[in-house]
Amino acid sequence: MTRTQEIPLAVSLGDPAGIGPEVLAKCWDNRERFALPPFVAIGDPRSVAAVWDGPIEVVENPRQADGAFDYGLPLIQLTAPKADIPGHPSVAGAHMSLDSLEIAVGLARSGSAFAVVTGPVAKEQLYAIGFQHPGQTEFVAERCGISPGNVVMMLAGPTLRTVPVTTHMPLSEVAMALSPALIESRGRAALRGLQRNFGIAEPRLAVSGLNPHSGEGGQLGREELEIIEPAIAALHAEGWRVSGPHPADTMFHDRARANYDAALCMYHDQALIPIKALHFEDAVNVTLGLPIVRTAPDHGTAFDIAGQDRADPRPMAAAIRMAADNAMLRAEAVA
Amino acid sequence: MTRTQEIPLAVSLGDPAGIGPEVLAKCWDNRERFALPPFVAIGDPRSVAAVWDGPIEVVENPRQADGAFDYGLPLIQLTAPKADIPGHPSVAGAHMSLDSLEIAVGLARSGSAFAVVTGPVAKEQLYAIGFQHPGQTEFVAERCGISPGNVVMMLAGPTLRTVPVTTHMPLSEVAMALSPALIESRGRAALRGLQRNFGIAEPRLAVSGLNPHSGEGGQLGREELEIIEPAIAALHAEGWRVSGPHPADTMFHDRARANYDAALCMYHDQALIPIKALHFEDAVNVTLGLPIVRTAPDHGTAFDIAGQDRADPRPMAAAIRMAADNAMLRAEAVA
């Protein structure tokens, strides 16, 4: 990513008592090594100062971030009634993380930021203050005027991208939740996302089976025959390059991964186990189907290590870099 | 593994039309590079000659294998009515693969071989000739006088070992199939196997959750609270070092893997996805709970590439090496 854009990328700091402020500050420290574009943080500067001794450049307008970026971490200041203590989440911190998210998304929506990266929040804390969305993704979708059902979560690492068809539900409910229509819809969103965000003109999607050995022709489950294969056929009929259903255990080794641009997985852990086994330090959560580019590091608030200078900034750096790359590819596609 | 033993390791060639003969012959070719102990193949020499130009040393007794090993691939000859064609499985080939397995196991049982490695068979072909076991593992268990319920499959690679609690069943049936007793029994077998086959005096077992995020305290499924945690508590009470339930997606990255000697997983793909993503070329299927050491390369007959000199011998080499290591550790423990 080169600095051809004057506008920066907006990063919400997430929960001020979590590791969000620390990992973003470390990203600024290592901005050259990580090859990061100018970014502006949104949040309480005290949450950064509590865990980092570097320079903070408070700006009032994102357009000042580019010029300030060489001198300190550019930050649009939000002020909480009192500063949070790292590792000790609070109601005020939950409000702060929500305000930070709201403004960061707004900047991306208005074009004042070229993409948004969201720091980790504590859902329980957000629910306690009335947050009604399952997670940040659905909140971002609503703010963009998109139905949450039409956005898709992709986990993207250097050698693997996965998209789960179902996400946060008990494993025993997954089989019942699958339908050809759902798989088609997620598959289509994944394929379009590969085109728009990753610049792949003719993306290849590998669809996993649900059961061991992809059901062995119906011997170990019939969902492949009755649900997954019809969905693949329908996507084929639309002209997409789709393969499968593949046995999930043999989809993720080096040579197998070379045959597709993303894997469409039937459930949460089927998508998350391989990406985190292979790319724990640099897997990025990318939301596809939005009018803006939004990514997030694929980790939580990690309250247990907050404020101890132990948090790894690489996932946040990967999220920033991927947001910048995605935004550039989308801008090129439009131009 | 040094050549202190005079007796060899026995390898059944598996289906003569599959890649078993080719990968074993390539192992002999590369016996020094792969650091392999003397082994003797059991099967039809024509199935080897059809895919390999190297020397075959037909022996009548496994004790001749050690001396013959420097000159050619030692082989105890079984003769089928006619030779199989690579890539074209037949009824005669199924009989051959079963005879080969029977003799290889018998040699290990009698002490004429120090361990057995089983080549890949075609289950459909075996079922067609009346084979009644789900797979080779159960057959080996029966020949050893062990109830199939008391043997456990472990997938072992250089940096990860996994043991599935349930195996070949539809995913939708997994939750119902789990019980504290089953998890305890599999966990205990895994822990004892780590002691006996891997020489780990105080093995550490990490138990996975079933649901996303390990159920999030019951929000995403209650199996962790009601089934898995009681099983862990029971194993704890016996003095074993057992942790979990761990969210499956964050169990398999480098640093996480350093915290345990084996992962006990709730279902087939939860155990197989990470091992094959990380160790596709050298994951070994180890059967624990037997009076003998038995391993197998973790791949099938691959009829589609048989006879084309394309099969990768590394999984077979890893299976032979691990069988030798396991056998040595068991012999030392007894001595």
Side-chain angles (χ1 to χ4, degrees):
Chain A
M1 186 64 195
T2 58
R3 296 183 53 177
T4 50
Q5 281 145 310
E6 289 182 15
I7 57 170
L9 176 147
V11 186
S12 63
L13 284 178
D15 196 293
I19 62 170
E22 177 181 329
V23 296
L24 190 66
K26 287 177 172 174
C27 281
W28 185 84
D29 272 339
N30 294 281
R31 60 198 179 279
E32 292 186 5
R33 182 161 71 89
F34 289 150
L36 301 179
F39 54 81
V40 60
I42 324 290
D44 188 337
R46 291 176 297 183
S47 68
V48 180
V51 294
W52 186 60
D53 295 327
I56 298 171
E57 293 277 326
V58 173
V59 297
E60 304 202 337
N61 183 310
R63 292 197 172 266
Q64 299 166 351
D66 190 28
F69 196 68
D70 285 341
Y71 306 101
L73 171 64
L75 182 143
I76 292 176
Q77 178 164 5
L78 303 180
T79 307
K82 70 183 193 59
D84 266 272
I85 301 164
H88 295 82
S90 71
V91 168
H95 280 288
M96 173 62 62
S97 65
L98 193 52
D99 292 347
S100 165
L101 175 64
E102 181 85 80
I103 292 172
V105 173
L107 293 174
R109 281 290 280 153
S110 71
S112 297
F114 70 80
V116 60
V117 174
T118 58
V121 297
K123 287 182 197 170
E124 307 71 35
Q125 304 291 324
L126 287 175
Y127 297 155
I129 63 166
F131 187 76
Q132 307 237 329
H133 304 273
Q136 296 194 92
T137 298
E138 293 80 3
F139 176 90
V140 176
E142 192 200 85
R143 287 300 188 267
C144 292
I146 305 287
S147 158
N150 289 332
V151 299
V152 161
M153 174 173 79
M154 170 180 277
L155 289 307
T159 73
L160 176 64
R161 302 181 191 97
T162 65
V163 172
V165 169
T166 64
T167 54
H168 296 115
M169 63 173 63
L171 189 78
S172 61
E173 296 176 12
V174 167
M176 289 299 296
L178 293 176
S179 67
L182 180 66
I183 296 169
E184 278 174 58
S185 145
R186 292 275 193 274
R188 210 178 282 118
L191 287 157
R192 287 185 181 146
L194 289 167
Q195 292 178 320
R196 293 193 70 195
N197 280 33
F198 295 91
I200 301 168
E202 296 190 18
R204 298 161 303 166
L205 187 71
V207 182
S208 74
L210 174 71
N211 296 300
H213 310 171
S214 226
E216 274 192 13
Q219 298 295 304
L220 300 174
R222 300 194 56 79
E223 289 85 358
E224 284 78 8
L225 301 174
E226 293 170 5
I227 300 174
I228 304 174
E229 288 183 8
I232 292 173
L235 290 168
H236 263 153
E238 294 175 14
W240 297 108
R241 298 172 69 184
V242 183
S243 64
H246 299 283
D249 60 340
T250 54
M251 278 179 74
F252 299 113
H253 61 91
D254 305 20
R255 275 174 298 145
R257 296 200 302 276
N259 294 323
Y260 57 82
D261 300 302
L264 187 68
C265 299
M266 294 302 118
Y267 53 94
H268 182 276
D269 282 357
Q270 202 182 44
L272 276 282
I273 287 174
I275 196 86
K276 293 198 177 181
L278 295 166
H279 297 304
F280 194 70
E281 283 78 17
D282 48 9
V284 178
N285 182 332
V286 186
T287 310
L288 303 176
L290 295 173
I292 60 173
V293 168
R294 181 253 172 158
T295 70
D298 195 33
H299 60 67
T301 52
F303 291 127
D304 55 322
I305 62 163
Q308 298 172 34
D309 197 23
R310 288 169 57 196
D312 184 343
R314 287 176 294 176
M316 175 60 88
I320 293 173
R321 218 165 36 235
M322 189 168 289
D325 290 343
N326 281 196
M328 190 165 61
L329 285 164
R330 283 171 72 136
E332 283 173 4
V334 172
Chain B
M1 186 64 194
T2 57
R3 295 183 53 177
T4 50
Q5 282 145 309
E6 289 181 16
I7 57 170
L9 176 147
V11 186
S12 64
L13 285 178
D15 196 292
I19 61 171
E22 177 182 329
V23 296
L24 190 66
K26 286 177 172 174
C27 281
W28 185 83
D29 271 338
N30 295 282
R31 60 198 180 279
E32 291 186 5
R33 183 162 70 89
F34 289 150
L36 301 180
F39 53 82
V40 59
I42 324 290
D44 187 338
R46 292 174 299 183
S47 69
V48 181
V51 294
W52 185 61
D53 294 327
I56 298 171
E57 292 277 325
V58 173
V59 297
E60 304 202 336
N61 183 311
R63 293 199 171 265
Q64 299 167 351
D66 190 27
F69 196 67
D70 286 341
Y71 306 100
L73 170 65
L75 183 141
I76 291 177
Q77 178 164 5
L78 303 180
T79 307
K82 69 183 193 61
D84 265 271
I85 301 164
H88 295 81
S90 70
V91 168
H95 280 289
M96 173 62 61
S97 65
L98 193 52
D99 292 346
S100 164
L101 175 64
E102 181 84 80
I103 292 171
V105 173
L107 292 175
R109 281 290 278 155
S110 71
S112 298
F114 69 80
V116 61
V117 174
T118 57
V121 298
K123 287 183 198 169
E124 307 71 35
Q125 304 291 324
L126 287 175
Y127 297 155
I129 63 166
F131 187 76
Q132 307 237 329
H133 304 273
Q136 295 193 94
T137 298
E138 292 82 2
F139 175 90
V140 176
E142 192 199 86
R143 287 301 188 267
C144 292
I146 305 286
S147 157
N150 289 332
V151 299
V152 160
M153 174 172 78
M154 169 179 279
L155 289 307
T159 73
L160 175 65
R161 302 182 191 97
T162 65
V163 172
V165 169
T166 63
T167 54
H168 296 114
M169 61 172 63
L171 189 79
S172 61
E173 296 176 12
V174 167
M176 289 298 297
L178 294 176
S179 67
L182 180 65
I183 296 169
E184 279 175 56
S185 146
R186 292 276 193 272
R188 209 178 282 119
L191 287 157
R192 288 185 180 147
L194 289 167
Q195 292 179 320
R196 293 193 70 196
N197 280 32
F198 295 91
I200 302 168
E202 295 190 19
R204 299 161 303 167
L205 188 72
V207 181
S208 73
L210 175 70
N211 297 299
H213 310 171
S214 224
E216 273 189 14
Q219 297 295 304
L220 299 174
R222 300 193 57 80
E223 289 84 358
E224 285 78 9
L225 301 175
E226 294 170 5
I227 299 174
I228 304 174
E229 289 184 8
I232 292 173
L235 290 168
H236 263 153
E238 295 175 14
W240 297 107
R241 298 172 68 184
V242 183
S243 64
H246 300 282
D249 60 340
T250 53
M251 278 180 75
F252 300 112
H253 61 92
D254 306 20
R255 276 174 297 144
R257 297 200 302 275
N259 294 323
Y260 57 82
D261 299 302
L264 187 68
C265 299
M266 295 301 119
Y267 53 93
H268 182 276
D269 282 356
Q270 202 182 44
L272 276 282
I273 287 175
I275 196 87
K276 292 199 178 180
L278 295 165
H279 297 304
F280 194 71
E281 282 79 18
D282 49 9
V284 177
N285 183 332
V286 186
T287 310
L288 303 176
L290 295 173
I292 60 173
V293 168
R294 181 254 171 159
T295 70
D298 195 33
H299 60 67
T301 51
F303 291 128
D304 56 321
I305 62 164
Q308 300 171 33
D309 197 22
R310 289 168 55 195
D312 185 344
R314 287 176 295 175
M316 176 59 89
I320 293 173
R321 219 166 35 235
M322 189 168 289
D325 290 344
N326 280 198
M328 191 164 61
L329 286 164
R330 283 172 73 136
E332 283 173 3
V334 172

